[in-house]
Amino acid sequence: MTSGSETSAERLSQQEAEDGFYNDTSEFLAELSGGSLHMGYWESASDRATMAEASRRLTKLMAERIKIGPGDRVLDIGCGTGAPAIQLAQSTGAVVVGITNSPAQLRLAAEKAREAKVADRVSFRCEDAGNLGFLPQSFDAVWLLESIMAMPDRLAVLRQAAAVLRPGGRLALTDFLDRAASSADAQQGDAPQYAVLMGKLMSLQDYPLLLEEAGLVPVEITDVSDRTVARTLGCMRQRLEDDRESLTQRFDAQVVDQFDNIVLRLEAAGFGYGIVVADRPGQ
């Protein structure tokens, strides 16, 4: 289980690598991921949804799990380029605050909110997920949509999330899972950028205790690896092959080459993908 065992220097080193990676590649990664910086979700092997459709479906599934409505306040920790926060606000009427430590993501997310005409209900700010600057019990729901694995200390982040949740509020997240011995190799890839994508993997069975230590009550812990990982990486690989020339023209050729290597390594890693939902006790 990931805990607070890393030294300050190790945390700083990982944070610097993460900041640099997402500043340089956020727009490109969103392009490969169908607009959002997270996996897609396919109902079955015969599901012909595109990457963009499957990505929006995963956002929808997570929105359903946090059970919010018009006027409810949601904190999106690790908001990426803003697409999930915008979709959440549009589909539920909620007020969403997204946080990121990447200036590039902050800029892209704010632009997307203005373009979608939801800037009055969706805002973004630079914030440290391990030291949130919000009042206690100021949100009805918190989600971490494919962001917690990139943070040095899951427990510290979950404790911060629990503190800003109102009693009875709900948290939902997705996380990469350690399902195979080869995942240890994935964490130690040659390129620092690759390590940022994976973070330190943990087993889904470790989540109940982690949530309880953070002051949260587990509601759902589900392995959805078979509906997410292989198809997502396959879509990314296909896009890199089919649109290599146009992607190279729009983005730096080094970034395109880098993601060729990242996708291949991720496909070989054997990691899984899980959905975790928990409540803050009380009424």
Side-chain angles (χ1 to χ4, degrees):
M1 180 190 305
T2 298
S3 65
S5 60
E6 295 89 352
T7 66
S8 297
E10 287 171 336
R11 291 183 187 180
L12 179 60
S13 177
Q14 179 174 337
Q15 193 67 66
E16 289 174 343
E18 180 183 339
D19 293 351
F21 177 83
Y22 285 116
N23 284 342
D24 293 342
T25 64
S26 290
E27 195 168 3
F28 183 78
L29 185 55
E31 186 76 21
L32 290 186
S33 305
S36 300
L37 303 183
H38 64 69
M39 297 274 173
Y41 184 95
W42 287 263
E43 298 287 355
S44 66
S46 61
D47 185 350
R48 307 319 302 168
T50 65
M51 181 66 221
E53 291 167 343
S55 178
R56 288 182 62 84
R57 181 186 290 155
L58 180 61
T59 300
K60 180 176 182 292
L61 290 173
M62 297 301 289
E64 291 170 351
R65 281 164 166 80
I66 57 175
K67 299 182 182 299
I68 46 90
D72 286 339
R73 284 174 49 82
V74 181
L75 177 61
D76 180 357
I77 298 178
C79 61
T81 55
I86 292 167
Q87 182 180 332
L88 178 65
Q90 290 173 328
S91 64
T92 67
V95 175
V96 186
V97 179
I99 68 167
T100 175
N101 56 14
S102 164
Q105 289 184 350
L106 187 67
R107 174 180 56 80
L108 291 168
E111 288 176 0
K112 288 179 181 292
R114 288 193 295 269
E115 291 170 0
K117 303 187 186 307
V118 294
D120 59 327
R121 290 186 290 116
V122 182
S123 60
F124 303 97
R125 55 194 277 186
C126 279
E127 191 88 18
D128 178 4
N131 186 25
L132 296 175
F134 300 101
L135 293 174
Q137 304 180 20
S138 55
F139 289 94
D140 299 287
V142 176
W143 73 2
L144 298 96
L145 194 45
E146 204 164 309
S147 60
I148 197 167
M149 73 285 290
M151 298 176 186
D153 189 340
R154 283 178 176 83
L155 180 56
V157 172
L158 290 173
R159 282 175 170 161
Q160 288 287 304
V164 300
L165 266 178
R166 63 167 176 78
R170 175 157 290 188
L171 173 142
L173 64 85
T174 61
D175 198 355
F176 289 175
L177 306 176
D178 184 358
R179 298 180 84 205
S182 60
S183 63
D185 297 329
Q187 296 175 45
Q188 300 173 10
D190 295 334
Q193 296 88 347
Y194 169 71
V196 167
L197 274 178
M198 296 292 291
K200 290 190 175 182
L201 302 184
M202 64 180 289
S203 171
L204 200 59
Q205 67 187 16
D206 290 330
Y207 253 104
L209 179 58
L210 187 69
L211 293 169
E212 290 168 12
E213 289 178 346
L216 298 164
V217 178
V219 172
E220 175 190 352
I221 299 175
T222 306
D223 189 325
V224 293
S225 305
D226 294 343
R227 299 189 178 193
T228 54
V229 178
R231 292 285 293 273
T232 295
L233 296 177
C235 285
M236 288 183 174
R237 176 168 34 80
Q238 196 65 49
R239 180 72 190 281
L240 286 165
E241 293 175 2
D242 293 346
D243 298 334
R244 187 173 195 83
E245 184 176 350
S246 63
L247 290 171
T248 301
Q249 290 174 350
R250 291 177 57 197
F251 303 96
D252 191 283
Q254 184 177 356
V255 172
V256 179
D257 292 339
Q258 179 184 76
F259 269 90
D260 267 334
N261 182 51
I262 287 174
V263 171
L264 287 173
R265 286 178 176 270
L266 289 176
E267 287 181 317
F271 69 94
Y273 197 78
I275 292 174
V276 176
V277 182
D279 287 344
R280 174 172 171 172
Q283 296 298 327

